[in-house]
Amino acid sequence: MKIVIVGAGEIGRNVAKNLSSDENEEHDIYLVDNNETNAKNAEELDVQVIRGNGARPQVLAQAGIIPGGDVDMLIACTNRDEVNMLACWIAKSAGVPKVISRARNLEFTDSPDWGKKLGIDMMISPERSIAREVMGLLAVSSATHTAELLDGRAALYTLKISENSPLVNMALKDIRPAFPELIAVFVYVTRENGESGVPNGFTVLNSGDTCYVVTYKKSAEILQELFQPDPEKSRPLRKLFIVGGGKLGTQIAQRVRRDFGNVSLRLIDRDPERCEKLSEEFGEALVINCDGADKKTLSEEGIESADGYVCATESDELNLIYSVIAKNMGAKKTIAIVKRKDYQDLTQSMSVDAIVDPNEALSNLLLRVVRYPRHTLAYSMIEKINAEMLEVVMKEDNDLIGKSLMELHLQKGVIIALLGRGDDVLVPTGATKILAGDHVILFALTSMMPDAAKLFGADLNNED
């Protein structure tokens, strides 16, 4: 495919990097940006870099976006909605079959009308998916990463085994008999000594292991108690601070109000006008006009008894520093929203419990649309372990229908983690047969996912 990406920031470069390094599919990638630093950084990739404004026809023409051109897709993912939408409109007018626009303002994604009127095939925003991830992290306080699956009925959780966990020195095959109420699949394990890999039934868990576990949402509390059996960590969410009343902070607050009910909520923002709007929308919450690191105010509002502190300002640096301050003052779990990849591993050296990356969420969505457009509903790239998760709907004409899992002889590194069948979510065994309409959750190492996806019917770049 020939793909033009407008915007060579973190998102555009990440998408371009993954597509250009795809061993199973050749893509001709063009990156367009008028920012010299972004363009220079993009030159390290195996792509064509064009310097210029992606909302200008003359610039897009250099990438082949002209009437009768051979561009298959345009992805506009700059920080400016107007640039993204105009680039898509120009591309669509020139005959590009598929155009996708990032939209930072939620008003553009709340209704499909905006996109339809401009001929945009898809308008996407990371705020909702980020809010879902934050909710998962708040629900399971010991989790450092989470991703929703099967319309929220299941999820992937990343958890670390504490010294007092009953899982220490236990083989995976013995967990289900010992804890029959836990229905879960361990898809990957990393050890403190640097060892990592896809486990098997004889893998013995150690204190300090970080496990990637797929399970029902209703089993999340059991995971919490098994991995880190601390009554304080296992208690339900009662008091939450959210710093930053912008689009993302508002999304999180709305979901907290909807999903957690009677949580004592404190919304903090430095902008007086924004605080007034928050007060109107969240009358039951306490809205505070101050700095998110104001120790006096935090102390007066009981930060030491807070179950969660989410920092979602526009500044990565402030989000990290404020979260450290809140953690040191006693907040049980702190979550920082951070876009820069350079900061993603700082949880190892800073007292921040979890870092959530909006750019990663948007990159995942864009990669799913490009790589697996057919029969797929959810996609997650887990860069820390070089793995992916993909949800595929099984069609009646697939050769796997009626076969049991043991008949598939899947490679080591490919796992069917869950099956969604009607209203049920199943953890399959070797005898489980695949039926038409099943929602299969595939876990695979990145190098193996394309072949696994084809096997299950998610044909690369092949839409119905």
Side-chain angles (χ1 to χ4, degrees):
M1 291 180 71
K2 183 174 181 179
I3 302 171
V4 176
I5 301 173
V6 176
E10 291 274 5
I11 298 168
R13 288 201 306 275
N14 190 51
V15 174
K17 177 183 176 182
N18 283 288
L19 291 177
S20 62
S21 60
D22 195 335
E23 298 177 358
N24 294 273
E25 187 77 20
E26 288 189 10
H27 297 292
D28 191 9
I29 309 294
Y30 286 73
L31 261 177
V32 180
D33 204 303
N34 61 358
N35 180 285
E36 185 60 31
T37 300
N38 287 346
K40 198 159 190 175
N41 290 336
E43 288 178 345
E44 301 174 1
L45 306 176
D46 184 20
V47 301
Q48 297 288 326
V49 179
I50 296 173
R51 289 168 168 78
N53 187 340
R56 294 184 59 196
Q58 300 93 325
V59 174
L60 293 179
Q62 296 177 47
I65 297 181
I66 55 176
D70 58 350
V71 175
D72 298 292
M73 180 183 295
L74 176 132
I75 299 171
C77 53
T78 75
N79 288 324
R80 297 181 59 191
D81 290 350
E82 295 81 4
V83 170
N84 295 337
M85 290 188 287
L86 186 52
C88 285
W89 179 79
I90 293 169
K92 201 68 174 182
S93 300
V96 175
K98 192 160 192 173
V99 297
I100 302 169
S101 173
R102 176 191 184 186
R104 301 192 73 194
N105 288 322
L106 294 177
E107 62 194 49
F108 292 129
T109 54
D110 285 337
S111 168
D113 292 343
W114 282 101
K116 287 181 179 178
K117 289 176 181 177
L118 293 171
I120 299 173
D121 297 293
M122 183 179 293
M123 297 191 72
I124 56 179
S125 173
E127 275 77 17
R128 290 182 178 85
S129 57
I130 286 297
R132 287 195 296 270
E133 181 172 354
V134 169
M135 294 297 288
L137 292 170
L138 291 172
V140 183
S141 62
S142 60
T144 58
H145 174 73
T146 181
E148 276 195 352
L149 303 166
L150 296 173
D151 293 325
R153 291 177 290 165
L156 167 74
Y157 296 98
T158 305
L159 307 105
K160 191 171 186 176
I161 299 177
S162 65
E163 292 182 357
N164 61 337
S165 167
L167 299 176
V168 174
N169 296 325
M170 181 174 285
L172 292 183
K173 65 182 178 61
D174 298 326
I175 292 177
R176 183 69 187 276
F179 307 101
E181 70 278 13
L182 177 64
I183 310 297
V185 177
F186 288 65
V187 295
Y188 205 86
V189 176
T190 63
R191 308 211 187 262
E192 292 186 325
N193 63 5
E195 294 179 3
S196 62
V198 176
N200 57 44
F202 296 96
T203 300
V204 176
L205 299 175
N206 301 322
S207 170
D209 285 353
T210 297
C211 301
Y212 294 76
V213 186
V214 178
T215 186
Y216 306 98
K217 276 287 190 72
K218 62 184 180 182
S219 292
E221 290 184 12
I222 303 172
L223 279 180
Q224 169 72 45
E225 294 169 1
L226 290 179
F227 274 80
Q228 297 191 15
D230 181 345
E232 280 299 301
K233 287 192 173 183
S234 299
R235 76 185 189 193
L237 189 69
R238 295 180 297 198
K239 181 189 285 188
L240 175 66
F241 287 71
I242 299 176
V243 180
K247 295 183 290 294
L248 181 53
T250 301
Q251 275 282 312
I252 295 169
Q254 290 172 344
R255 286 181 174 269
V256 167
R257 182 171 59 181
R258 184 192 71 191
D259 296 347
F260 286 108
N262 298 323
V263 171
S264 179
L265 185 60
R266 282 140 176 82
L267 302 176
I268 298 176
D269 199 282
R270 289 188 293 187
D271 186 339
E273 292 184 9
R274 184 176 282 175
C275 285
E276 285 186 21
K277 293 179 181 178
L278 291 171
S279 295
E280 293 174 2
E281 183 173 356
F282 301 96
E284 74 284 5
L286 178 62
V287 179
I288 307 170
N289 178 214
C290 75
D291 189 290
D294 185 332
K295 290 186 176 181
K296 183 174 182 296
T297 301
L298 291 176
S299 181
E300 289 175 351
E301 295 304 326
I303 188 65
E304 73 282 353
S305 63
D307 300 295
Y309 177 98
V310 180
C311 204
T313 75
E314 290 296 315
S315 168
D316 289 353
E317 292 77 11
L318 288 182
N319 292 342
L320 285 166
I321 294 169
Y322 286 7
S323 296
V324 169
I325 292 171
K327 187 69 178 180
N328 291 340
M329 292 183 71
K332 186 173 73 172
K333 181 158 191 174
T334 58
I335 302 171
I337 309 300
V338 176
K339 296 180 284 294
R340 282 191 60 174
K341 281 197 173 297
D342 295 345
Y343 297 159
Q344 295 304 310
D345 293 326
L346 288 180
T347 52
Q348 308 292 329
S349 55
M350 298 178 70
S351 51
V352 179
D353 293 301
I355 290 176
V356 177
D357 182 2
N359 288 346
E360 181 181 335
L362 190 55
S363 296
N364 280 342
L365 180 53
L366 291 170
L367 285 169
R368 178 186 71 79
V369 172
V370 177
R371 281 180 167 170
Y372 311 112
R374 186 182 179 208
H375 310 325
T376 59
L377 302 174
Y379 171 75
S380 179
M381 175 174 282
I382 314 166
E383 291 193 8
K384 286 188 176 181
I385 60 174
N386 199 26
E388 302 178 17
M389 295 200 73
L390 184 69
E391 180 178 346
V392 183
V393 181
M394 302 301 298
K395 295 296 184 181
E396 292 182 359
D397 59 354
N398 191 291
D399 292 339
L400 302 185
I401 299 301
K403 291 185 177 180
S404 65
L405 267 57
M406 68 178 67
E407 294 178 274
L408 304 184
H409 304 293
L410 298 176
Q411 300 180 70
K412 180 177 172 56
V414 178
I415 298 173
I416 298 180
L418 292 176
L419 280 179
R421 183 170 291 168
D423 295 329
D424 298 325
V425 180
L426 313 174
V427 174
T429 67
T432 302
K433 291 187 177 182
I434 297 175
L435 305 180
D438 282 351
H439 287 236
V440 175
I441 301 298
L442 286 175
F443 171 91
L445 300 180
T446 298
S447 60
M448 298 179 178
M449 181 58 88
D451 286 340
K454 287 180 181 178
L455 178 65
F456 284 85
D459 296 336
L460 302 181
N461 310 314
N462 179 16
E463 296 187 81
D464 291 335

